[in-house]
Amino acid sequence: MVNMKTTLRDNNLDTKVSAKTIIETIDLDFYYVPEEKALKTVNLRIPEKKVTAFIGPSGCGKSTLLRCFNRMNDLIIGSYIEGSVLIEGRNIYDKQVRLEELRNKVGMVFQKSNPFPMSIWENVAFGPKVNGVSSKSELDDIVESALKQADLWREVNDRMDQSALDLSGGQQQRLCIARTLANKPSIILMDEPASALDPISTGKIEETIEELKKEYTIVIVTHNMQQAARVSDYTAFMMVGEMVEFDQTNTIFTNPKKKLTEEYITGRFG
Amino acid sequence: MSISTNEQFRKKVDRANKTARIIISFGGYGVIISIIFILLFLMYQSLPLSFSVSIKEMLSFSYDKPDKRIIAIGLDQYQEVYYVLNDKGYVEFYRLSDKVLLLRDSVGLNKDEKILSISKGDYLKDRFAVGTNSGRIIQAEIRMLPEYGKQDRTIVPHFKVKDIYQAEIPTDSIPAHIEELVFRQNDDYDFYVWINHAQELMLRITDDYDEYRKDLTEFLGESKLTKLEMDYNAEKLIAGTISGELFWFDISDPEEVYLKDNWKVSDTPVSSLAFLIGSNTIIIGNTDGQVTGYFPTRTLDNVFRFMPVYSFDTHAAAVEQIYISPRNRTFLTIDSHGKAHLNYSTTNQTQIEFKPFDNTVQAGAIAPKSDGIILIDSKNQIGHYKLEDEHPEATLQTLFGKVWYEGYEKPEFVWQSTGGSDEFEPKFSLIPLIFGTLKGTLYAMLFSIPLALLAAIYVSQFSPKWLSSVIKPTVEIMAALPSVVIGFLAGLYFSPIFEENLMAIFLVSIVVPVVSLFGIMGWRLVPEVQRMRMPLGWELILTFALFIISVWLSFSLADTIENLFFAGNIKQWLYDAWNINYDQRNSLVVGFALGFAVIPIIFTISEDALSNVPDSLTSASLALGASRWQTVYRVVIPAAAGGIFAAVMLGLGRAIGETMIVLMATGNTPILDLSPFNGFRAMSACIAVEIPEAPVGGTLYRILFLTAFLLFIFTFLINSIAARISDKLRKKYARF
Ligand SMILES: Nc1ncnc2c1ncn2[C@@H]1O[C@H](COP(=O)(O)OP(=O)(O)OP(=O)(O)O)[C@@H](O)[C@H]1O
Ligand SMILES: [Mg+2]
């Protein structure tokens, strides 16, 4: 495996990150309303096949940044960005980019589980279907492997035709993960995927993430420091729309460069 | 706050709660109770239809002159007075209540002269003629008219001999018997037909100036006659024979009487014949006890023939007498054992069998209002019966089944509630009405469901805010338009325009989709970058422009195309080529107008349902790489299915119950034809049109209530089914 050594250009972040970059933001500003930056000049390089956690106080722009990566912010009328977001070197805000393709490649798991009111099978097969897979056996295979990856297969394989809404909260969230995996994305964005779950379900989600990072790049927003420390390889700390510090999780938690980071980590505010 | 004020406050809250609960439950129960009340009322009004026929014996007494042979008996319209006529020519009127003799008179027979035959000339006026054993035919009149005093009403009988005619001259060796006689009277002539002692069939037609007399025997060949009958318009003379044949003479032109047809009805002798009111159906009884009904219809070779249409329960013995009702198609058949059957021709039913006396029946009559029967037996025992059969023309069979009505070529579903004369038989098939309602609904839904749903999808999912804020109130205004206005505009303003521009409108329905298709294909050719730049809402303006262009194109091409392909007139062409009739007020016009009334309902409710699908689902779908459109039809529409279904069903309910539009925009012809180019009569419109003409308590009145009841049940069922299904859909798809 080739480990490319890259140096971050950002003057804020002088740490060296040793991995291939998959997402790169360059001077990213984001506005929900004109003249009001929700993200301020964010420069960030997210390494491939690692888990990157975004932490920071409520309202600092973690979700906003995350949603820039699959252009979900486009849905918010009146919002716009400045700067660019490169995924695998390509600016996803380019006019030529097809949104469907982008979102197929960059999956997203939401804070509140949102399975479709359909059967479990239909839920998982939804992504492949809308992206053009129609053979039933092929879909069956995709569904099975996605459910296995999301560690849900054992629990649901005998009731694939039941409504997804009959699953427990934790199962629903893992179903949403499976649904995302079925698209075979290269990146999975997770916005506080476990915040609404009990500790056991949370544990299961974390195990799943642990498994997934072998194959996928995962960006996760979390409020739970322990969780960030447990699951992530890299951590980005944000404050009021700014990227304060980005480094290996270890470094952030044990030896942060910035005082703000330290104060936040040690729980003095947030 | 101290404890006591706290307690007071609690009490106050409790009291308010209680009052609120009472008021609210009052409202709720009130609604339920009033619905039940309406339902019960409709049932109460329509239920008498289903009451079966009953005959109740009122009086049974003996006529005090047992040695007299009675040959006719009758009742007045109030069933207060009866008369009897004996073979010596004496007529006596008695009051039923106390058997007091009111009047005694005579047709004036000579000594030894006896009545052999009698014929009632009319079922309303009680003219009759008798034939005697000395060759005379005497016409007389019986009238029992009510005279009104200060408080009471008395029936005053009148009797008068009107005409005496020496039909056959007796000689010393040969008697001159009038064996069988039929007598009729119309506005121009008196008609007498008789069979004499020599088995000759004689006809005499006379007015004040002329007399036609004709011997019809030659037409009969070897046949021996048994019975004679003539319809009440005096056009058809029917003679029955011993070999079960019928001869039909056309006597409508006195100078040209001819044998029109003869045919065999049974193997046994014809023992009784009677025309029912309406002068079309003849009831035939034979010595085997069979009772059948025939009426003339046009046959395949385009001539009129009597067709066997009805057959009733067979008697155990020869059918000797038939008494018809002066009101409806009820008739009484009596056999030689004295057993009576009450039949109703249209429904092909024998309603009641009874045996009035131990002996045979001598004479009888159905009361003028068809609400009583009087019979006398061979021992001069009189029975008076009350007949309860108010709505014989309404049975499940006539309301919902095919009925072979007089003059029709085959059994059909017919609604024709009123006709010109009393003889007209009302035809009450509800099928054309139900069909009309469904047809109107069908066309309305075909037009409104796609439009309303597409609009709802567009407004809830695609349109920019400013546009929805224009469209939604506009549609709500549409809903506020009174249906009478829509009906008026559609029926009186748009339908003529529609008819004039029929070609153009056909073209519009073809050109608009075609142009749209090309528009979409053209749009795909535009580079994506350019497409993305177009502001939201512009698609509507572009579509609208396309629409205008299509309409303009259609109208300007219409004449050319009509001349080129449809011989200059598409309506004529439709008729010539496809035998399609174009009515000005047709189902398409109604479909549009009714659709216009239904669109707001479907739109508003389904738009709500679609908008209420949570963003989280849309986001999930989009985040999985689905396009906007895929998201709409794979996620949003299924999730809103319950609401959309409910919207459609509510629209359906509205369309079914809608009255003014279907009343004004269609010709209200109760026909069974799915063609979009002719009209229909809906149940609701039928009620509105006919209730002012329906006498309270009459059959039509009750049937209209039954129709209302059915309509109620229809809408009730639709709404309940809708509620259940949309509930299920909601449970399945909409637990967000
Ligand atoms: N749809 C929106 N329109 C306008 N402003 C928004 C919108 N969504 C978020 N914001 C604002 O943008 C800022 C960043 O919000 P964001 O949701 O990214 O925060 P966050 O870090 O995810 O917070 P949390 O941890 O509470 O989820 C906040 O100030 C928020 O008020
Ligand atoms: Mg957030």
Side-chain angles (χ1 to χ4, degrees), chain A residues 72 75 96 100 103 110 114-118 126 129-131 163 165-166 179 183, chain B residues 528-529 616-617 619-627 630 634-635 639 732-733 735:
Chain A
M72 282 307 272
L75 297 177
Q96 262 76 37
E100 290 84 21
R103 289 174 184 159
F110 297 81
N114 52 359
F116 298 124
M118 310 168 185
F126 184 92
K129 267 188 178 175
V130 298
N131 288 293
S163 172
L165 302 173
D166 292 338
R179 187 171 68 181
N183 265 347
Chain B
E528 196 161 345
V529 186
S616 67
L617 290 186
S619 302
S621 168
L622 291 172
L624 286 166
S627 67
Q630 283 174 321
R634 282 179 189 264
V635 176
K732 186 157 173 217
Y733 289 118
R735 288 174 295 154

mmCIF file of all heavy atoms in Angstrom, chain A residues 72 75 96 100 103 110 114-118 126 129-131 163 165-166 179 183, chain B residues 528-529 616-617 619-627 630 634-635 639 732-733 735:
data_model
loop_
_atom_site.group_PDB
_atom_site.id
_atom_site.type_symbol
_atom_site.label_atom_id
_atom_site.label_comp_id
_atom_site.label_asym_id
_atom_site.label_seq_id
_atom_site.Cartn_x
_atom_site.Cartn_y
_atom_site.Cartn_z
ATOM 1 N N MET A 72 -26.255 18.205 -0.126
ATOM 2 C CA MET A 72 -27.619 18.210 0.388
ATOM 3 C C MET A 72 -28.073 19.629 0.709
ATOM 4 O O MET A 72 -29.262 19.902 0.787
ATOM 5 C CB MET A 72 -27.729 17.331 1.643
ATOM 6 C CG MET A 72 -27.787 15.840 1.372
ATOM 7 S SD MET A 72 -29.035 15.342 0.205
ATOM 8 C CE MET A 72 -30.425 15.112 1.304
ATOM 9 N N LEU A 75 -30.661 21.806 -1.358
ATOM 10 C CA LEU A 75 -32.111 21.816 -1.184
ATOM 11 C C LEU A 75 -32.598 23.061 -0.462
ATOM 12 O O LEU A 75 -33.769 23.399 -0.517
ATOM 13 C CB LEU A 75 -32.562 20.591 -0.378
ATOM 14 C CG LEU A 75 -32.297 19.240 -1.017
ATOM 15 C CD1 LEU A 75 -32.725 18.129 -0.088
ATOM 16 C CD2 LEU A 75 -33.032 19.144 -2.341
ATOM 17 N N GLN A 96 -20.896 20.484 -14.331
ATOM 18 C CA GLN A 96 -20.996 19.211 -15.057
ATOM 19 C C GLN A 96 -21.340 18.028 -14.150
ATOM 20 O O GLN A 96 -21.730 16.985 -14.638
ATOM 21 C CB GLN A 96 -19.683 18.906 -15.783
ATOM 22 C CG GLN A 96 -19.698 19.283 -17.239
ATOM 23 C CD GLN A 96 -19.571 20.787 -17.420
ATOM 24 O OE1 GLN A 96 -18.857 21.438 -16.677
ATOM 25 N NE2 GLN A 96 -20.280 21.342 -18.391
ATOM 26 N N GLU A 100 -27.073 13.034 -8.918
ATOM 27 C CA GLU A 100 -27.427 11.639 -8.610
ATOM 28 C C GLU A 100 -26.164 10.794 -8.457
ATOM 29 O O GLU A 100 -26.046 9.985 -7.552
ATOM 30 C CB GLU A 100 -28.334 11.058 -9.700
ATOM 31 C CG GLU A 100 -29.740 11.645 -9.723
ATOM 32 C CD GLU A 100 -29.835 12.957 -10.499
ATOM 33 O OE1 GLU A 100 -28.944 13.211 -11.342
ATOM 34 O OE2 GLU A 100 -30.768 13.731 -10.253
ATOM 35 N N ARG A 103 -24.265 11.695 -5.209
ATOM 36 C CA ARG A 103 -24.882 11.171 -3.987
ATOM 37 C C ARG A 103 -24.858 9.656 -3.949
ATOM 38 O O ARG A 103 -24.932 9.052 -2.886
ATOM 39 C CB ARG A 103 -26.324 11.687 -3.881
ATOM 40 C CG ARG A 103 -26.335 13.170 -3.557
ATOM 41 C CD ARG A 103 -27.708 13.739 -3.584
ATOM 42 N NE ARG A 103 -27.681 15.181 -3.365
ATOM 43 C CZ ARG A 103 -28.671 15.990 -3.731
ATOM 44 N NH1 ARG A 103 -29.726 15.500 -4.321
ATOM 45 N NH2 ARG A 103 -28.584 17.275 -3.485
ATOM 46 N N PHE A 110 -28.491 9.794 8.446
ATOM 47 C CA PHE A 110 -28.985 10.976 9.153
ATOM 48 C C PHE A 110 -29.062 10.738 10.654
ATOM 49 O O PHE A 110 -29.046 9.589 11.123
ATOM 50 C CB PHE A 110 -30.359 11.363 8.612
ATOM 51 C CG PHE A 110 -30.338 11.760 7.161
ATOM 52 C CD1 PHE A 110 -30.334 10.806 6.148
ATOM 53 C CD2 PHE A 110 -30.299 13.107 6.805
ATOM 54 C CE1 PHE A 110 -30.294 11.174 4.826
ATOM 55 C CE2 PHE A 110 -30.269 13.487 5.468
ATOM 56 C CZ PHE A 110 -30.261 12.513 4.482
ATOM 57 N N ASN A 114 -34.373 7.352 9.264
ATOM 58 C CA ASN A 114 -35.499 7.687 8.387
ATOM 59 C C ASN A 114 -35.737 6.607 7.347
ATOM 60 O O ASN A 114 -35.646 6.843 6.159
ATOM 61 C CB ASN A 114 -35.269 9.041 7.720
ATOM 62 C CG ASN A 114 -33.921 9.104 7.046
ATOM 63 O OD1 ASN A 114 -33.145 8.153 7.092
ATOM 64 N ND2 ASN A 114 -33.641 10.220 6.399
ATOM 65 N N PRO A 115 -36.062 5.384 7.805
ATOM 66 C CA PRO A 115 -36.369 4.351 6.817
ATOM 67 C C PRO A 115 -37.632 4.714 6.054
ATOM 68 O O PRO A 115 -38.500 5.397 6.589
ATOM 69 C CB PRO A 115 -36.589 3.102 7.671
ATOM 70 C CG PRO A 115 -36.950 3.606 9.013
ATOM 71 C CD PRO A 115 -36.269 4.917 9.172
ATOM 72 N N PHE A 116 -37.692 4.270 4.806
ATOM 73 C CA PHE A 116 -38.905 4.504 4.025
ATOM 74 C C PHE A 116 -40.010 3.609 4.565
ATOM 75 O O PHE A 116 -39.743 2.522 5.076
ATOM 76 C CB PHE A 116 -38.666 4.142 2.554
ATOM 77 C CG PHE A 116 -37.610 4.973 1.906
ATOM 78 C CD1 PHE A 116 -36.513 4.383 1.296
ATOM 79 C CD2 PHE A 116 -37.706 6.362 1.902
ATOM 80 C CE1 PHE A 116 -35.542 5.150 0.685
ATOM 81 C CE2 PHE A 116 -36.722 7.132 1.290
ATOM 82 C CZ PHE A 116 -35.634 6.530 0.688
ATOM 83 N N PRO A 117 -41.251 4.063 4.440
ATOM 84 C CA PRO A 117 -42.362 3.219 4.884
ATOM 85 C C PRO A 117 -42.598 2.076 3.895
ATOM 86 O O PRO A 117 -43.622 2.013 3.231
ATOM 87 C CB PRO A 117 -43.548 4.182 4.939
ATOM 88 C CG PRO A 117 -43.188 5.287 4.028
ATOM 89 C CD PRO A 117 -41.704 5.381 4.003
ATOM 90 N N MET A 118 -41.598 1.227 3.783
ATOM 91 C CA MET A 118 -41.702 0.086 2.859
ATOM 92 C C MET A 118 -41.096 -1.104 3.590
ATOM 93 O O MET A 118 -40.696 -1.009 4.737
ATOM 94 C CB MET A 118 -40.866 0.318 1.607
ATOM 95 C CG MET A 118 -41.066 1.637 0.913
ATOM 96 S SD MET A 118 -39.761 1.866 -0.293
ATOM 97 C CE MET A 118 -40.144 3.519 -0.838
ATOM 98 N N PHE A 126 -33.511 0.183 -2.424
ATOM 99 C CA PHE A 126 -33.947 1.443 -3.030
ATOM 100 C C PHE A 126 -32.839 2.124 -3.835
ATOM 101 O O PHE A 126 -33.021 2.476 -5.001
ATOM 102 C CB PHE A 126 -34.444 2.385 -1.927
ATOM 103 C CG PHE A 126 -35.019 3.676 -2.438
ATOM 104 C CD1 PHE A 126 -36.377 3.792 -2.690
ATOM 105 C CD2 PHE A 126 -34.212 4.779 -2.675
ATOM 106 C CE1 PHE A 126 -36.910 4.966 -3.172
ATOM 107 C CE2 PHE A 126 -34.740 5.963 -3.158
ATOM 108 C CZ PHE A 126 -36.089 6.050 -3.404
ATOM 109 N N LYS A 129 -31.839 0.357 -6.986
ATOM 110 C CA LYS A 129 -32.941 0.450 -7.950
ATOM 111 C C LYS A 129 -32.955 1.805 -8.648
ATOM 112 O O LYS A 129 -33.039 1.876 -9.861
ATOM 113 C CB LYS A 129 -34.269 0.241 -7.237
ATOM 114 C CG LYS A 129 -34.766 -1.188 -7.243
ATOM 115 C CD LYS A 129 -36.172 -1.185 -6.684
ATOM 116 C CE LYS A 129 -36.811 -2.528 -6.665
ATOM 117 N NZ LYS A 129 -38.127 -2.448 -6.004
ATOM 118 N N VAL A 130 -32.918 2.870 -7.876
ATOM 119 C CA VAL A 130 -33.002 4.177 -8.525
ATOM 120 C C VAL A 130 -31.748 4.459 -9.338
ATOM 121 O O VAL A 130 -31.736 5.323 -10.200
ATOM 122 C CB VAL A 130 -33.251 5.339 -7.540
ATOM 123 C CG1 VAL A 130 -34.568 5.160 -6.835
ATOM 124 C CG2 VAL A 130 -32.113 5.494 -6.553
ATOM 125 N N ASN A 131 -30.685 3.708 -9.062
ATOM 126 C CA ASN A 131 -29.488 3.917 -9.847
ATOM 127 C C ASN A 131 -29.347 2.897 -10.965
ATOM 128 O O ASN A 131 -28.284 2.739 -11.539
ATOM 129 C CB ASN A 131 -28.259 3.917 -8.946
ATOM 130 C CG ASN A 131 -28.212 5.190 -8.110
ATOM 131 O OD1 ASN A 131 -28.038 6.280 -8.630
ATOM 132 N ND2 ASN A 131 -28.433 5.054 -6.808
ATOM 133 N N SER A 163 -42.543 -4.447 7.247
ATOM 134 C CA SER A 163 -42.289 -3.022 7.155
ATOM 135 C C SER A 163 -41.061 -2.654 7.988
ATOM 136 O O SER A 163 -40.877 -3.127 9.109
ATOM 137 C CB SER A 163 -43.491 -2.238 7.664
ATOM 138 O OG SER A 163 -43.152 -0.876 7.746
ATOM 139 N N LEU A 165 -40.639 -0.070 9.396
ATOM 140 C CA LEU A 165 -41.029 0.746 10.543
ATOM 141 C C LEU A 165 -41.296 -0.105 11.777
ATOM 142 O O LEU A 165 -41.467 0.420 12.869
ATOM 143 C CB LEU A 165 -42.270 1.571 10.190
ATOM 144 C CG LEU A 165 -42.066 2.471 8.974
ATOM 145 C CD1 LEU A 165 -43.373 3.114 8.572
ATOM 146 C CD2 LEU A 165 -41.032 3.542 9.268
ATOM 147 N N ASP A 166 -41.347 -1.440 11.574
ATOM 148 C CA ASP A 166 -41.555 -2.306 12.723
ATOM 149 C C ASP A 166 -40.255 -2.631 13.464
ATOM 150 O O ASP A 166 -40.282 -3.284 14.505
ATOM 151 C CB ASP A 166 -42.209 -3.619 12.283
ATOM 152 C CG ASP A 166 -43.640 -3.388 11.806
ATOM 153 O OD1 ASP A 166 -44.214 -2.351 12.210
ATOM 154 O OD2 ASP A 166 -44.164 -4.216 11.051
ATOM 155 N N ARG A 179 -28.791 0.646 3.921
ATOM 156 C CA ARG A 179 -29.379 1.251 2.735
ATOM 157 C C ARG A 179 -28.343 2.098 2.005
ATOM 158 O O ARG A 179 -28.264 2.092 0.778
ATOM 159 C CB ARG A 179 -30.557 2.130 3.191
ATOM 160 C CG ARG A 179 -31.378 2.698 2.099
ATOM 161 C CD ARG A 179 -32.600 3.349 2.668
ATOM 162 N NE ARG A 179 -32.244 4.553 3.436
ATOM 163 C CZ ARG A 179 -33.144 5.315 4.066
ATOM 164 N NH1 ARG A 179 -34.413 5.001 4.041
ATOM 165 N NH2 ARG A 179 -32.766 6.371 4.745
ATOM 166 N N ASN A 183 -25.558 1.145 -2.009
ATOM 167 C CA ASN A 183 -25.147 1.918 -3.185
ATOM 168 C C ASN A 183 -23.663 1.748 -3.482
ATOM 169 O O ASN A 183 -23.163 2.306 -4.451
ATOM 170 C CB ASN A 183 -25.429 3.404 -2.953
ATOM 171 C CG ASN A 183 -26.763 3.809 -3.520
ATOM 172 O OD1 ASN A 183 -27.354 3.065 -4.269
ATOM 173 N ND2 ASN A 183 -27.220 5.003 -3.161
ATOM 174 N N GLU B 528 -27.237 20.758 -20.457
ATOM 175 C CA GLU B 528 -27.642 20.691 -19.067
ATOM 176 C C GLU B 528 -27.325 21.980 -18.322
ATOM 177 O O GLU B 528 -28.103 22.448 -17.496
ATOM 178 C CB GLU B 528 -26.944 19.511 -18.391
ATOM 179 C CG GLU B 528 -27.586 19.155 -17.081
ATOM 180 C CD GLU B 528 -27.223 17.752 -16.644
ATOM 181 O OE1 GLU B 528 -26.720 16.981 -17.479
ATOM 182 O OE2 GLU B 528 -27.433 17.441 -15.475
ATOM 183 N N VAL B 529 -26.180 22.562 -18.646
ATOM 184 C CA VAL B 529 -25.781 23.785 -17.958
ATOM 185 C C VAL B 529 -26.831 24.871 -18.142
ATOM 186 O O VAL B 529 -27.243 25.549 -17.189
ATOM 187 C CB VAL B 529 -24.426 24.274 -18.514
ATOM 188 C CG1 VAL B 529 -23.925 25.445 -17.707
ATOM 189 C CG2 VAL B 529 -23.428 23.133 -18.522
ATOM 190 N N SER B 616 -37.636 14.323 5.878
ATOM 191 C CA SER B 616 -36.604 13.326 6.157
ATOM 192 C C SER B 616 -36.632 12.211 5.120
ATOM 193 O O SER B 616 -35.589 11.694 4.732
ATOM 194 C CB SER B 616 -36.787 12.757 7.560
ATOM 195 O OG SER B 616 -37.973 12.015 7.631
ATOM 196 N N LEU B 617 -37.850 11.870 4.648
ATOM 197 C CA LEU B 617 -37.943 10.806 3.640
ATOM 198 C C LEU B 617 -37.413 11.282 2.298
ATOM 199 O O LEU B 617 -36.675 10.580 1.614
ATOM 200 C CB LEU B 617 -39.392 10.353 3.489
ATOM 201 C CG LEU B 617 -39.978 9.575 4.645
ATOM 202 C CD1 LEU B 617 -41.363 9.072 4.301
ATOM 203 C CD2 LEU B 617 -39.078 8.414 5.004
ATOM 204 N N SER B 619 -35.275 13.645 1.836
ATOM 205 C CA SER B 619 -33.824 13.776 1.961
ATOM 206 C C SER B 619 -33.155 12.421 1.824
ATOM 207 O O SER B 619 -32.158 12.275 1.105
ATOM 208 C CB SER B 619 -33.447 14.354 3.324
ATOM 209 O OG SER B 619 -34.068 15.591 3.492
ATOM 210 N N ALA B 620 -33.712 11.416 2.509
ATOM 211 C CA ALA B 620 -33.124 10.087 2.444
ATOM 212 C C ALA B 620 -33.055 9.612 1.005
ATOM 213 O O ALA B 620 -32.031 9.093 0.559
ATOM 214 C CB ALA B 620 -33.950 9.115 3.275
ATOM 215 N N SER B 621 -34.146 9.838 0.295
ATOM 216 C CA SER B 621 -34.178 9.371 -1.080
ATOM 217 C C SER B 621 -33.160 10.120 -1.947
ATOM 218 O O SER B 621 -32.402 9.508 -2.698
ATOM 219 C CB SER B 621 -35.591 9.555 -1.624
ATOM 220 O OG SER B 621 -35.606 9.383 -3.006
ATOM 221 N N LEU B 622 -33.158 11.431 -1.791
ATOM 222 C CA LEU B 622 -32.210 12.221 -2.591
ATOM 223 C C LEU B 622 -30.772 11.837 -2.246
ATOM 224 O O LEU B 622 -29.917 11.734 -3.118
ATOM 225 C CB LEU B 622 -32.431 13.717 -2.352
ATOM 226 C CG LEU B 622 -33.744 14.275 -2.898
ATOM 227 C CD1 LEU B 622 -33.943 15.706 -2.422
ATOM 228 C CD2 LEU B 622 -33.755 14.208 -4.419
ATOM 229 N N ALA B 623 -30.526 11.609 -0.938
ATOM 230 C CA ALA B 623 -29.168 11.278 -0.511
ATOM 231 C C ALA B 623 -28.729 9.932 -1.060
ATOM 232 O O ALA B 623 -27.547 9.634 -1.114
ATOM 233 C CB ALA B 623 -29.094 11.268 1.010
ATOM 234 N N LEU B 624 -29.705 9.115 -1.463
ATOM 235 C CA LEU B 624 -29.340 7.824 -2.045
ATOM 236 C C LEU B 624 -29.133 7.913 -3.552
ATOM 237 O O LEU B 624 -28.970 6.901 -4.226
ATOM 238 C CB LEU B 624 -30.420 6.788 -1.745
ATOM 239 C CG LEU B 624 -30.436 6.294 -0.301
ATOM 240 C CD1 LEU B 624 -31.717 5.553 0.011
ATOM 241 C CD2 LEU B 624 -29.236 5.392 -0.050
ATOM 242 N N GLY B 625 -29.184 9.127 -4.054
ATOM 243 C CA GLY B 625 -28.920 9.299 -5.476
ATOM 244 C C GLY B 625 -30.148 9.244 -6.350
ATOM 245 O O GLY B 625 -30.044 9.139 -7.562
ATOM 246 N N ALA B 626 -31.349 9.297 -5.738
ATOM 247 C CA ALA B 626 -32.555 9.333 -6.543
ATOM 248 C C ALA B 626 -32.740 10.737 -7.093
ATOM 249 O O ALA B 626 -32.384 11.716 -6.439
ATOM 250 C CB ALA B 626 -33.768 8.940 -5.702
ATOM 251 N N SER B 627 -33.309 10.813 -8.292
ATOM 252 C CA SER B 627 -33.590 12.136 -8.845
ATOM 253 C C SER B 627 -34.838 12.695 -8.170
ATOM 254 O O SER B 627 -35.540 11.987 -7.443
ATOM 255 C CB SER B 627 -33.796 12.028 -10.346
ATOM 256 O OG SER B 627 -34.982 11.308 -10.592
ATOM 257 N N GLN B 630 -37.780 10.592 -9.323
ATOM 258 C CA GLN B 630 -37.785 9.270 -8.685
ATOM 259 C C GLN B 630 -38.232 9.380 -7.235
ATOM 260 O O GLN B 630 -38.995 8.554 -6.736
ATOM 261 C CB GLN B 630 -36.389 8.657 -8.740
ATOM 262 C CG GLN B 630 -36.039 8.094 -10.092
ATOM 263 C CD GLN B 630 -34.599 7.619 -10.146
ATOM 264 O OE1 GLN B 630 -33.710 8.260 -9.589
ATOM 265 N NE2 GLN B 630 -34.376 6.512 -10.828
ATOM 266 N N ARG B 634 -41.404 7.337 -6.134
ATOM 267 C CA ARG B 634 -41.089 6.139 -5.359
ATOM 268 C C ARG B 634 -41.274 6.337 -3.860
ATOM 269 O O ARG B 634 -41.476 5.377 -3.129
ATOM 270 C CB ARG B 634 -39.634 5.725 -5.600
ATOM 271 C CG ARG B 634 -39.443 5.020 -6.905
ATOM 272 C CD ARG B 634 -37.984 4.665 -7.071
ATOM 273 N NE ARG B 634 -37.726 4.170 -8.400
ATOM 274 C CZ ARG B 634 -37.690 2.867 -8.692
ATOM 275 N NH1 ARG B 634 -37.894 1.969 -7.750
ATOM 276 N NH2 ARG B 634 -37.450 2.478 -9.923
ATOM 277 N N VAL B 635 -41.161 7.563 -3.405
ATOM 278 C CA VAL B 635 -41.236 7.780 -1.958
ATOM 279 C C VAL B 635 -42.430 8.653 -1.574
ATOM 280 O O VAL B 635 -43.267 8.255 -0.763
ATOM 281 C CB VAL B 635 -39.932 8.422 -1.445
ATOM 282 C CG1 VAL B 635 -40.057 8.738 0.038
ATOM 283 C CG2 VAL B 635 -38.761 7.507 -1.701
ATOM 284 N N ALA B 639 -45.963 7.338 0.089
ATOM 285 C CA ALA B 639 -46.169 7.770 1.472
ATOM 286 C C ALA B 639 -47.457 8.556 1.622
ATOM 287 O O ALA B 639 -48.086 8.547 2.671
ATOM 288 C CB ALA B 639 -44.979 8.593 1.946
ATOM 289 N N LYS B 732 -49.831 1.612 6.534
ATOM 290 C CA LYS B 732 -48.750 0.922 5.855
ATOM 291 C C LYS B 732 -47.616 1.881 5.504
ATOM 292 O O LYS B 732 -46.446 1.554 5.670
ATOM 293 C CB LYS B 732 -49.300 0.285 4.583
ATOM 294 C CG LYS B 732 -48.292 -0.569 3.878
ATOM 295 C CD LYS B 732 -48.938 -1.602 2.990
ATOM 296 C CE LYS B 732 -47.864 -2.302 2.192
ATOM 297 N NZ LYS B 732 -48.271 -2.621 0.846
ATOM 298 N N TYR B 733 -47.984 3.072 5.010
ATOM 299 C CA TYR B 733 -46.953 3.922 4.430
ATOM 300 C C TYR B 733 -46.629 5.160 5.241
ATOM 301 O O TYR B 733 -45.589 5.761 5.048
ATOM 302 C CB TYR B 733 -47.387 4.393 3.043
ATOM 303 C CG TYR B 733 -47.379 3.312 2.027
ATOM 304 C CD1 TYR B 733 -48.556 2.937 1.383
ATOM 305 C CD2 TYR B 733 -46.202 2.663 1.707
ATOM 306 C CE1 TYR B 733 -48.548 1.937 0.443
ATOM 307 C CE2 TYR B 733 -46.191 1.667 0.768
ATOM 308 C CZ TYR B 733 -47.363 1.298 0.137
ATOM 309 O OH TYR B 733 -47.357 0.321 -0.786
ATOM 310 N N ARG B 735 -46.362 5.955 8.623
ATOM 311 C CA ARG B 735 -45.955 6.070 10.035
ATOM 312 C C ARG B 735 -44.554 6.655 10.047
ATOM 313 O O ARG B 735 -43.567 5.950 10.147
ATOM 314 C CB ARG B 735 -45.978 4.698 10.701
ATOM 315 C CG ARG B 735 -47.373 4.190 10.936
ATOM 316 C CD ARG B 735 -47.327 2.793 11.457
ATOM 317 N NE ARG B 735 -46.781 1.882 10.475
ATOM 318 C CZ ARG B 735 -46.178 0.745 10.798
ATOM 319 N NH1 ARG B 735 -45.992 0.412 12.051
ATOM 320 N NH2 ARG B 735 -45.746 -0.040 9.850
#
